[in-house]
Amino acid sequence: MLLLALLYSAGALAEPASKAEVKVETKPAAMAMAKPELSGEFVYKYLVGEIAGQRGDASLAGSVFMDLAKSSRDARLAERAAKAAVQGQNAPLAVQASQLWSDLDPESIEANQVSTQVLVSVGRLSAAKPHLQKLLLKPDTRANGFLYLNGLLSGQPDKQAVLNLMEELAKPYQDLPEARFSVAHAAWSNGLNTRALDELKAAEQLRPGWELSAMLQGQILAKQQAGSAMSFYDAFLQKYPASDEVRMAYARLLVSQKQIQAAKTQFVKLLESSKGSPEALVVVGLLSLQLEDMTEAERYFKQSLEAGYRDPDQLYIYLGQLNERRQELKQAIAWYQKVQPGERLLAAKLSIASITARLEGTNAGIAQLDSLEKLNTEQEAVVQQAKANLLMQAKRHEESYAVLENAVSTLPNTPELIYDYAMAAERLQKMDVAERELRKLILIKPDFAQAYNALGYSWADRNIKLEEARKLIEKALELSPDDHYIMDSMGWVMYRLGKLDTAADYLRRAYTAQADPEIAAHLGEVLWQQGKRDEAVRTWEDALRAHPENEVLNTTRQKFKQAL
């Protein structure tokens, strides 16, 4: 009796509450789960399966339960076999066991779902089709069923097969917006944007104002042309102003297109609908910061604090940075000092040290850094970088180099430290050290784009090894295609190679992305050599108004001054 109790409690065999409840004619023949005869062999195999499962051998457990399920025709054992096979990543057994489970208990929604998932996971879409059709039979769950299929099939590599399958499944339900949406999603995944948009328009007619459909349409349009997507979102929100999800997608697109003021307008509307959500307040505060509206940014950050934002330390950091930008340095320190022990504390301490250096001198800032205790290896590396940076800003380059040289020897194979050490060496014209360290960095961390860029730019700037420099910068651009500094390097090496038009194109793109004075210096020089001297002078003068002390810009401007 103890053994029977163990088997029942494990869920493989369930004793009916009373004999009157079990009537064979009330279930299909396949669902009749007669209690298997508990022979010695059955009990032995069952215990083997149980022990295998407890020991983590899911594949063996699945095989044992599958044998028992086939011999007993018990759906519960087939269920255990299927789930164990899935856990053990035994795909062939999972297919067989889930199919047997579904055959033995055809009314089980879970069995049908597991069978579907297993068949789809191994790419057997044709075999999965009957199961998928079964999932869509019930009218009350059909709409969600189609949406479930989008996620289930999204990882399939054969996008055309997925589209074909989705079209077949949706064919009987052309008046269901979710069916049209699912076909649109499959078409979009297959690169058929026009077909996808046609299906989404049909879904819109069936269900006007449906946000999910609108967001996919906006996403497709944004890939084609951002302006079309923005126009679509704007028109949709004019008709359905309460569509917060669409408004969020529109606001994010505006941010990506650097239309910060327009994005802020949309986020403010989201803020109104969310009734002062702390998270929305932070977003609007950050957008205000980007727009240089410090008063508004401060107001939103403080409101978020009052509303109970989940990460107040992050807001203290934002408020400290805001006050730094306003040159209210003592107030900035006061905000940073509010940060509590945790992941943001070191950032706050580094900022305090930086401000201290500005207020009381470099040595005072370094003393702040030296006072930091209980640092792990990663934190120690960051502190040494900060110390070297303070010395570099004070033009104490030899001392900065010494700090980094020591740090690299005590904290070897730290990519960021090695990079800073190489740059410090370059500033002191120790080019052999800089090149050695950058080559080492490329070996240690092959995806460190700035290492390729720094080495390539160094050669381009000295007008040596230009083809090798170009290849290095191309690799950097491949790793980080939107980095304006790398675009500047590519423009500069193209200039050295005599490809003036290509150089000007890269430099214009870089300067558009970031109005950096050194990029302005390079762009002006290329424009000058192209014969566009008026434009070159305007570029330099505009940059000098914003950065009058920049050494590279002044040197470049002086170099061509006599020819004016």
Side-chain angles (χ1 to χ4, degrees), residues 136-152:
L136 300 171
L137 285 176
K138 293 185 178 180
D140 57 336
T141 59
R142 185 176 299 143
N144 285 335
F146 271 108
L147 298 180
Y148 162 75
L149 294 184
N150 292 327
L152 181 65

mmCIF file with all atom_site columns, all heavy atoms in Angstrom, residues 136-152:
data_model
loop_
_atom_site.group_PDB
_atom_site.id
_atom_site.type_symbol
_atom_site.label_atom_id
_atom_site.label_alt_id
_atom_site.label_comp_id
_atom_site.label_asym_id
_atom_site.label_entity_id
_atom_site.label_seq_id
_atom_site.pdbx_PDB_ins_code
_atom_site.Cartn_x
_atom_site.Cartn_y
_atom_site.Cartn_z
_atom_site.occupancy
_atom_site.B_iso_or_equiv
_atom_site.pdbx_formal_charge
_atom_site.auth_seq_id
_atom_site.auth_comp_id
_atom_site.auth_asym_id
_atom_site.auth_atom_id
_atom_site.pdbx_PDB_model_num
ATOM 1   N N   . LEU A 1 136 ? -6.790  26.902 -32.829 1.00 0.00 ? 136 LEU A N   1
ATOM 2   C CA  . LEU A 1 136 ? -7.596  28.010 -33.341 1.00 0.00 ? 136 LEU A CA  1
ATOM 3   C C   . LEU A 1 136 ? -9.076  27.673 -33.472 1.00 0.00 ? 136 LEU A C   1
ATOM 4   O O   . LEU A 1 136 ? -9.859  28.508 -33.937 1.00 0.00 ? 136 LEU A O   1
ATOM 5   C CB  . LEU A 1 136 ? -7.050  28.441 -34.715 1.00 0.00 ? 136 LEU A CB  1
ATOM 6   C CG  . LEU A 1 136 ? -5.595  28.912 -34.734 1.00 0.00 ? 136 LEU A CG  1
ATOM 7   C CD1 . LEU A 1 136 ? -5.114  29.102 -36.161 1.00 0.00 ? 136 LEU A CD1 1
ATOM 8   C CD2 . LEU A 1 136 ? -5.424  30.200 -33.946 1.00 0.00 ? 136 LEU A CD2 1
ATOM 9   N N   . LEU A 1 137 ? -9.464  26.474 -33.055 1.00 0.00 ? 137 LEU A N   1
ATOM 10  C CA  . LEU A 1 137 ? -10.851 26.052 -33.256 1.00 0.00 ? 137 LEU A CA  1
ATOM 11  C C   . LEU A 1 137 ? -11.848 26.807 -32.382 1.00 0.00 ? 137 LEU A C   1
ATOM 12  O O   . LEU A 1 137 ? -12.932 27.165 -32.835 1.00 0.00 ? 137 LEU A O   1
ATOM 13  C CB  . LEU A 1 137 ? -10.987 24.545 -33.005 1.00 0.00 ? 137 LEU A CB  1
ATOM 14  C CG  . LEU A 1 137 ? -10.451 23.624 -34.105 1.00 0.00 ? 137 LEU A CG  1
ATOM 15  C CD1 . LEU A 1 137 ? -10.571 22.170 -33.689 1.00 0.00 ? 137 LEU A CD1 1
ATOM 16  C CD2 . LEU A 1 137 ? -11.213 23.864 -35.417 1.00 0.00 ? 137 LEU A CD2 1
ATOM 17  N N   . LYS A 1 138 ? -11.486 27.064 -31.136 1.00 0.00 ? 138 LYS A N   1
ATOM 18  C CA  . LYS A 1 138 ? -12.444 27.680 -30.213 1.00 0.00 ? 138 LYS A CA  1
ATOM 19  C C   . LYS A 1 138 ? -12.540 29.181 -30.470 1.00 0.00 ? 138 LYS A C   1
ATOM 20  O O   . LYS A 1 138 ? -11.538 29.899 -30.386 1.00 0.00 ? 138 LYS A O   1
ATOM 21  C CB  . LYS A 1 138 ? -12.022 27.427 -28.769 1.00 0.00 ? 138 LYS A CB  1
ATOM 22  C CG  . LYS A 1 138 ? -12.110 25.968 -28.373 1.00 0.00 ? 138 LYS A CG  1
ATOM 23  C CD  . LYS A 1 138 ? -11.791 25.775 -26.897 1.00 0.00 ? 138 LYS A CD  1
ATOM 24  C CE  . LYS A 1 138 ? -11.919 24.308 -26.493 1.00 0.00 ? 138 LYS A CE  1
ATOM 25  N NZ  . LYS A 1 138 ? -11.614 24.108 -25.057 1.00 0.00 ? 138 LYS A NZ  1
ATOM 26  N N   . PRO A 1 139 ? -13.742 29.692 -30.741 1.00 0.00 ? 139 PRO A N   1
ATOM 27  C CA  . PRO A 1 139 ? -13.893 31.123 -31.057 1.00 0.00 ? 139 PRO A CA  1
ATOM 28  C C   . PRO A 1 139 ? -13.424 32.048 -29.947 1.00 0.00 ? 139 PRO A C   1
ATOM 29  O O   . PRO A 1 139 ? -12.873 33.115 -30.226 1.00 0.00 ? 139 PRO A O   1
ATOM 30  C CB  . PRO A 1 139 ? -15.401 31.273 -31.297 1.00 0.00 ? 139 PRO A CB  1
ATOM 31  C CG  . PRO A 1 139 ? -15.868 29.900 -31.661 1.00 0.00 ? 139 PRO A CG  1
ATOM 32  C CD  . PRO A 1 139 ? -15.015 28.963 -30.874 1.00 0.00 ? 139 PRO A CD  1
ATOM 33  N N   . ASP A 1 140 ? -13.618 31.629 -28.689 1.00 0.00 ? 140 ASP A N   1
ATOM 34  C CA  . ASP A 1 140 ? -13.280 32.534 -27.590 1.00 0.00 ? 140 ASP A CA  1
ATOM 35  C C   . ASP A 1 140 ? -11.774 32.662 -27.355 1.00 0.00 ? 140 ASP A C   1
ATOM 36  O O   . ASP A 1 140 ? -11.322 33.602 -26.695 1.00 0.00 ? 140 ASP A O   1
ATOM 37  C CB  . ASP A 1 140 ? -13.981 32.097 -26.296 1.00 0.00 ? 140 ASP A CB  1
ATOM 38  C CG  . ASP A 1 140 ? -13.633 30.669 -25.905 1.00 0.00 ? 140 ASP A CG  1
ATOM 39  O OD1 . ASP A 1 140 ? -13.249 29.894 -26.798 1.00 0.00 ? 140 ASP A OD1 1
ATOM 40  O OD2 . ASP A 1 140 ? -13.743 30.334 -24.710 1.00 0.00 ? 140 ASP A OD2 1
ATOM 41  N N   . THR A 1 141 ? -10.968 31.733 -27.863 1.00 0.00 ? 141 THR A N   1
ATOM 42  C CA  . THR A 1 141 ? -9.503  31.815 -27.699 1.00 0.00 ? 141 THR A CA  1
ATOM 43  C C   . THR A 1 141 ? -8.776  31.993 -29.035 1.00 0.00 ? 141 THR A C   1
ATOM 44  O O   . THR A 1 141 ? -7.555  32.038 -29.061 1.00 0.00 ? 141 THR A O   1
ATOM 45  C CB  . THR A 1 141 ? -8.964  30.550 -27.004 1.00 0.00 ? 141 THR A CB  1
ATOM 46  O OG1 . THR A 1 141 ? -9.298  29.399 -27.803 1.00 0.00 ? 141 THR A OG1 1
ATOM 47  C CG2 . THR A 1 141 ? -9.545  30.406 -25.607 1.00 0.00 ? 141 THR A CG2 1
ATOM 48  N N   . ARG A 1 142 ? -9.528  32.111 -30.112 1.00 0.00 ? 142 ARG A N   1
ATOM 49  C CA  . ARG A 1 142 ? -8.914  32.142 -31.450 1.00 0.00 ? 142 ARG A CA  1
ATOM 50  C C   . ARG A 1 142 ? -8.038  33.380 -31.649 1.00 0.00 ? 142 ARG A C   1
ATOM 51  O O   . ARG A 1 142 ? -6.923  33.289 -32.172 1.00 0.00 ? 142 ARG A O   1
ATOM 52  C CB  . ARG A 1 142 ? -10.008 32.099 -32.514 1.00 0.00 ? 142 ARG A CB  1
ATOM 53  C CG  . ARG A 1 142 ? -9.467  32.005 -33.950 1.00 0.00 ? 142 ARG A CG  1
ATOM 54  C CD  . ARG A 1 142 ? -10.624 31.857 -34.923 1.00 0.00 ? 142 ARG A CD  1
ATOM 55  N NE  . ARG A 1 142 ? -11.368 30.635 -34.640 1.00 0.00 ? 142 ARG A NE  1
ATOM 56  C CZ  . ARG A 1 142 ? -12.696 30.522 -34.740 1.00 0.00 ? 142 ARG A CZ  1
ATOM 57  N NH1 . ARG A 1 142 ? -13.427 31.567 -35.092 1.00 0.00 ? 142 ARG A NH1 1
ATOM 58  N NH2 . ARG A 1 142 ? -13.289 29.375 -34.481 1.00 0.00 ? 142 ARG A NH2 1
ATOM 59  N N   . ALA A 1 143 ? -8.525  34.541 -31.225 1.00 0.00 ? 143 ALA A N   1
ATOM 60  C CA  . ALA A 1 143 ? -7.765  35.780 -31.443 1.00 0.00 ? 143 ALA A CA  1
ATOM 61  C C   . ALA A 1 143 ? -6.414  35.716 -30.732 1.00 0.00 ? 143 ALA A C   1
ATOM 62  O O   . ALA A 1 143 ? -5.366  35.982 -31.331 1.00 0.00 ? 143 ALA A O   1
ATOM 63  C CB  . ALA A 1 143 ? -8.574  36.975 -30.944 1.00 0.00 ? 143 ALA A CB  1
ATOM 64  N N   . ASN A 1 144 ? -6.436  35.318 -29.459 1.00 0.00 ? 144 ASN A N   1
ATOM 65  C CA  . ASN A 1 144 ? -5.175  35.198 -28.720 1.00 0.00 ? 144 ASN A CA  1
ATOM 66  C C   . ASN A 1 144 ? -4.300  34.101 -29.295 1.00 0.00 ? 144 ASN A C   1
ATOM 67  O O   . ASN A 1 144 ? -3.065  34.176 -29.237 1.00 0.00 ? 144 ASN A O   1
ATOM 68  C CB  . ASN A 1 144 ? -5.446  34.932 -27.242 1.00 0.00 ? 144 ASN A CB  1
ATOM 69  C CG  . ASN A 1 144 ? -5.907  36.176 -26.519 1.00 0.00 ? 144 ASN A CG  1
ATOM 70  O OD1 . ASN A 1 144 ? -5.611  37.290 -26.943 1.00 0.00 ? 144 ASN A OD1 1
ATOM 71  N ND2 . ASN A 1 144 ? -6.647  36.003 -25.431 1.00 0.00 ? 144 ASN A ND2 1
ATOM 72  N N   . GLY A 1 145 ? -4.943  33.073 -29.863 1.00 0.00 ? 145 GLY A N   1
ATOM 73  C CA  . GLY A 1 145 ? -4.193  31.983 -30.487 1.00 0.00 ? 145 GLY A CA  1
ATOM 74  C C   . GLY A 1 145 ? -3.342  32.471 -31.635 1.00 0.00 ? 145 GLY A C   1
ATOM 75  O O   . GLY A 1 145 ? -2.165  32.087 -31.770 1.00 0.00 ? 145 GLY A O   1
ATOM 76  N N   . PHE A 1 146 ? -3.904  33.350 -32.463 1.00 0.00 ? 146 PHE A N   1
ATOM 77  C CA  . PHE A 1 146 ? -3.120  33.899 -33.575 1.00 0.00 ? 146 PHE A CA  1
ATOM 78  C C   . PHE A 1 146 ? -1.950  34.738 -33.067 1.00 0.00 ? 146 PHE A C   1
ATOM 79  O O   . PHE A 1 146 ? -0.838  34.676 -33.612 1.00 0.00 ? 146 PHE A O   1
ATOM 80  C CB  . PHE A 1 146 ? -4.017  34.735 -34.490 1.00 0.00 ? 146 PHE A CB  1
ATOM 81  C CG  . PHE A 1 146 ? -4.669  33.928 -35.582 1.00 0.00 ? 146 PHE A CG  1
ATOM 82  C CD1 . PHE A 1 146 ? -6.018  33.643 -35.548 1.00 0.00 ? 146 PHE A CD1 1
ATOM 83  C CD2 . PHE A 1 146 ? -3.917  33.439 -36.640 1.00 0.00 ? 146 PHE A CD2 1
ATOM 84  C CE1 . PHE A 1 146 ? -6.621  32.898 -36.553 1.00 0.00 ? 146 PHE A CE1 1
ATOM 85  C CE2 . PHE A 1 146 ? -4.508  32.686 -37.662 1.00 0.00 ? 146 PHE A CE2 1
ATOM 86  C CZ  . PHE A 1 146 ? -5.871  32.410 -37.604 1.00 0.00 ? 146 PHE A CZ  1
ATOM 87  N N   . LEU A 1 147 ? -2.185  35.523 -32.029 1.00 0.00 ? 147 LEU A N   1
ATOM 88  C CA  . LEU A 1 147 ? -1.098  36.341 -31.485 1.00 0.00 ? 147 LEU A CA  1
ATOM 89  C C   . LEU A 1 147 ? -0.016  35.470 -30.860 1.00 0.00 ? 147 LEU A C   1
ATOM 90  O O   . LEU A 1 147 ? 1.182   35.780 -30.931 1.00 0.00 ? 147 LEU A O   1
ATOM 91  C CB  . LEU A 1 147 ? -1.651  37.326 -30.459 1.00 0.00 ? 147 LEU A CB  1
ATOM 92  C CG  . LEU A 1 147 ? -2.669  38.338 -31.007 1.00 0.00 ? 147 LEU A CG  1
ATOM 93  C CD1 . LEU A 1 147 ? -3.136  39.264 -29.903 1.00 0.00 ? 147 LEU A CD1 1
ATOM 94  C CD2 . LEU A 1 147 ? -2.081  39.138 -32.163 1.00 0.00 ? 147 LEU A CD2 1
ATOM 95  N N   . TYR A 1 148 ? -0.428  34.357 -30.232 1.00 0.00 ? 148 TYR A N   1
ATOM 96  C CA  . TYR A 1 148 ? 0.526   33.404 -29.662 1.00 0.00 ? 148 TYR A CA  1
ATOM 97  C C   . TYR A 1 148 ? 1.421   32.815 -30.759 1.00 0.00 ? 148 TYR A C   1
ATOM 98  O O   . TYR A 1 148 ? 2.624   32.615 -30.567 1.00 0.00 ? 148 TYR A O   1
ATOM 99  C CB  . TYR A 1 148 ? -0.258  32.306 -28.936 1.00 0.00 ? 148 TYR A CB  1
ATOM 100 C CG  . TYR A 1 148 ? 0.499   31.041 -28.664 1.00 0.00 ? 148 TYR A CG  1
ATOM 101 C CD1 . TYR A 1 148 ? 1.458   30.976 -27.664 1.00 0.00 ? 148 TYR A CD1 1
ATOM 102 C CD2 . TYR A 1 148 ? 0.241   29.876 -29.408 1.00 0.00 ? 148 TYR A CD2 1
ATOM 103 C CE1 . TYR A 1 148 ? 2.146   29.796 -27.411 1.00 0.00 ? 148 TYR A CE1 1
ATOM 104 C CE2 . TYR A 1 148 ? 0.919   28.703 -29.160 1.00 0.00 ? 148 TYR A CE2 1
ATOM 105 C CZ  . TYR A 1 148 ? 1.874   28.657 -28.167 1.00 0.00 ? 148 TYR A CZ  1
ATOM 106 O OH  . TYR A 1 148 ? 2.549   27.496 -27.918 1.00 0.00 ? 148 TYR A OH  1
ATOM 107 N N   . LEU A 1 149 ? 0.835   32.591 -31.939 1.00 0.00 ? 149 LEU A N   1
ATOM 108 C CA  . LEU A 1 149 ? 1.599   31.994 -33.034 1.00 0.00 ? 149 LEU A CA  1
ATOM 109 C C   . LEU A 1 149 ? 2.733   32.903 -33.502 1.00 0.00 ? 149 LEU A C   1
ATOM 110 O O   . LEU A 1 149 ? 3.779   32.416 -33.939 1.00 0.00 ? 149 LEU A O   1
ATOM 111 C CB  . LEU A 1 149 ? 0.677   31.689 -34.223 1.00 0.00 ? 149 LEU A CB  1
ATOM 112 C CG  . LEU A 1 149 ? -0.388  30.616 -34.007 1.00 0.00 ? 149 LEU A CG  1
ATOM 113 C CD1 . LEU A 1 149 ? -1.152  30.368 -35.290 1.00 0.00 ? 149 LEU A CD1 1
ATOM 114 C CD2 . LEU A 1 149 ? 0.236   29.325 -33.507 1.00 0.00 ? 149 LEU A CD2 1
ATOM 115 N N   . ASN A 1 150 ? 2.527   34.216 -33.417 1.00 0.00 ? 150 ASN A N   1
ATOM 116 C CA  . ASN A 1 150 ? 3.592   35.127 -33.852 1.00 0.00 ? 150 ASN A CA  1
ATOM 117 C C   . ASN A 1 150 ? 4.889   34.865 -33.081 1.00 0.00 ? 150 ASN A C   1
ATOM 118 O O   . ASN A 1 150 ? 5.966   34.777 -33.659 1.00 0.00 ? 150 ASN A O   1
ATOM 119 C CB  . ASN A 1 150 ? 3.160   36.582 -33.643 1.00 0.00 ? 150 ASN A CB  1
ATOM 120 C CG  . ASN A 1 150 ? 2.040   36.973 -34.575 1.00 0.00 ? 150 ASN A CG  1
ATOM 121 O OD1 . ASN A 1 150 ? 1.952   36.496 -35.698 1.00 0.00 ? 150 ASN A OD1 1
ATOM 122 N ND2 . ASN A 1 150 ? 1.176   37.855 -34.105 1.00 0.00 ? 150 ASN A ND2 1
ATOM 123 N N   . GLY A 1 151 ? 4.749   34.767 -31.761 1.00 0.00 ? 151 GLY A N   1
ATOM 124 C CA  . GLY A 1 151 ? 5.925   34.504 -30.948 1.00 0.00 ? 151 GLY A CA  1
ATOM 125 C C   . GLY A 1 151 ? 6.470   33.109 -31.144 1.00 0.00 ? 151 GLY A C   1
ATOM 126 O O   . GLY A 1 151 ? 7.687   32.900 -31.188 1.00 0.00 ? 151 GLY A O   1
ATOM 127 N N   . LEU A 1 152 ? 5.573   32.141 -31.280 1.00 0.00 ? 152 LEU A N   1
ATOM 128 C CA  . LEU A 1 152 ? 5.984   30.741 -31.425 1.00 0.00 ? 152 LEU A CA  1
ATOM 129 C C   . LEU A 1 152 ? 6.803   30.530 -32.688 1.00 0.00 ? 152 LEU A C   1
ATOM 130 O O   . LEU A 1 152 ? 7.798   29.788 -32.686 1.00 0.00 ? 152 LEU A O   1
ATOM 131 C CB  . LEU A 1 152 ? 4.744   29.844 -31.437 1.00 0.00 ? 152 LEU A CB  1
ATOM 132 C CG  . LEU A 1 152 ? 4.986   28.343 -31.551 1.00 0.00 ? 152 LEU A CG  1
ATOM 133 C CD1 . LEU A 1 152 ? 5.714   27.823 -30.321 1.00 0.00 ? 152 LEU A CD1 1
ATOM 134 C CD2 . LEU A 1 152 ? 3.668   27.598 -31.737 1.00 0.00 ? 152 LEU A CD2 1
#
